Amino acid sequence: MLRHSSDLSGTIVKSNKPIAVFSGGEVEIPKSISDLDSVMSQLLPVEHWDTKFIVPPLYPRSDFLIRIYAFNPNTSVTVRNETHEKTHSLTAGMFIEEHLGNGPVVVNSSQPISVVQYAFSENHDPSSHGDPLMMVIPGIHQFSSDYLFPTKTDHNEMKHYVAVIIRNNSLSGLRLDGKLLVAKIFPVHFSEEDYVVVVQELRGYVHKLTHNDHTIKFGALVYGFGANLGYGFPAGFEFLDIGRYPRKVYVYLLLHGIPYGTIIPECIMC
């Protein structure tokens, strides 16, 4: 374990054998809040970074923060939402932060990047329920055609959600546990393609997201908030291996006992 009082973002980890790398810490989100909370997530290896992302809102929270990490020099990154557009030039190991409100955010880059989403502390917005979370955002090329994920916890006061990123013309075929979604819809008209983000509150313990057309791919992120609690994780990824065949990666998480003020650590298993 590598620990330091300073931010370790941009640290390069190399290995001659397969490993998993988790990152997190006790942080103030935002930095102006004098309240430390724990966040943690498993990171994607650089070989699986992407160039196109849609970051969903953390409905019903009022806003969120994203960090964007570059591995290659001269990486151009464009970040935009419905009202703003910014372009940045990143060097190797550099990261930037963006805080653009509570709507969907589109991120495009000239070279592969990693995008991580953070929820703010409950003290940042007293009207919001729940503490910070940290989620690695799947790139559009990592979307899958189905997901199986759990949400069970021992905290009955928590509310759980799934945010689905899908093309607008494919929305009608989306199914959660075999049923149509009755959800909050956020248009993403400012993307290169006509996507929407659909946020559905979840009830029950294990869920399956599918589409009537098995060739349609979409992204899914799961999150939840409670009193002094927050968690979030991507529901899965689909990667292309060396032979260029799709390889699905599902996310499994701790099903019992969220420690006070922390997220549930995710564990990616192939």
Side-chain angles (χ1 to χ4, degrees):
M1 178 183 292
L2 179 61
R3 303 181 66 178
H4 201 279
S5 58
S6 299
D7 193 338
L8 292 171
S9 296
T11 301
I12 296 175
V13 179
K14 294 183 178 181
S15 174
N16 61 351
K17 294 183 179 181
I19 60 172
V21 176
F22 290 80
S23 178
E26 293 187 342
V27 295
E28 300 170 336
I29 305 177
K31 294 179 180 179
S32 59
I33 298 295
S34 57
D35 182 18
L36 290 177
D37 291 289
S38 298
V39 295
M40 181 185 296
S41 182
Q42 183 172 346
L43 305 181
L44 288 179
V46 173
E47 66 187 272
H48 290 310
W49 288 11
D50 205 346
T51 58
K52 294 184 178 182
F53 301 81
I54 295 177
V55 184
L58 294 175
Y59 178 84
R61 298 295 293 272
S62 60
D63 54 6
F64 59 87
L65 179 77
I66 60 173
R67 269 193 178 189
I68 301 167
Y69 299 84
F71 182 74
N72 297 301
N74 302 316
T75 298
S76 178
V77 177
T78 299
V79 183
R80 63 180 179 270
N81 65 3
E82 197 167 13
T83 58
H84 295 83
E85 180 173 325
K86 299 179 181 179
T87 299
H88 305 269
S89 181
L90 278 63
T91 60
M94 183 179 175
F95 70 88
I96 56 171
E97 291 185 353
E98 289 287 358
H99 176 203
L100 296 175
N102 64 345
V105 174
V106 173
V107 182
N108 291 301
S109 63
S110 61
Q111 301 190 71
I113 56 174
S114 178
V115 178
V116 182
Q117 183 178 29
Y118 300 85
F120 288 111
S121 167
E122 190 171 75
N123 291 337
H124 172 68
D125 182 0
S127 65
S128 296
H129 194 51
D131 260 357
L133 62 79
M134 173 183 178
M135 284 195 293
V136 175
I137 303 298
I140 287 178
H141 301 107
Q142 298 162 347
F143 288 178
S144 185
S145 56
D146 61 84
Y147 299 88
L148 180 68
F149 58 91
T151 58
K152 180 183 177 184
T153 75
D154 292 333
H155 296 265
N156 295 327
E157 76 277 10
M158 292 197 71
K159 290 190 175 182
H160 310 273
Y161 304 88
V162 60
V164 181
I165 306 159
I166 189 169
R167 287 185 175 89
N168 191 26
N169 60 8
S170 301
L171 179 58
S172 61
L174 191 63
R175 297 291 185 271
L176 176 65
D177 302 326
K179 300 178 181 179
L180 284 168
L181 279 72
V182 181
K184 181 76 172 177
I185 299 176
F186 298 86
V188 194
H189 298 311
F190 48 90
S191 64
E192 295 175 354
E193 301 175 61
D194 189 16
Y195 277 89
V196 294
V197 176
V198 182
V199 180
Q200 173 76 56
E201 185 173 350
L202 299 169
R203 301 185 186 278
Y205 300 144
V206 179
H207 303 278
K208 188 171 185 179
L209 267 173
T210 57
H211 198 281
N212 289 343
D213 182 346
H214 300 300
T215 66
I216 299 298
K217 295 185 178 182
F218 52 92
L221 296 110
V222 184
Y223 62 93
F225 298 107
N228 300 307
L229 292 169
Y231 77 91
F233 61 94
F237 300 83
E238 185 169 293
F239 299 138
L240 290 176
D241 62 15
I242 296 175
R244 308 302 292 173
Y245 293 103
R247 177 165 55 91
K248 291 185 179 180
V249 178
Y250 292 100
V251 176
Y252 296 81
L253 71 158
L254 186 67
L255 292 181
H256 299 282
I258 307 173
Y260 178 87
T262 69
I263 68 162
I264 302 174
E266 67 190 46
C267 178
I268 296 179
M269 302 176 64
C270 299

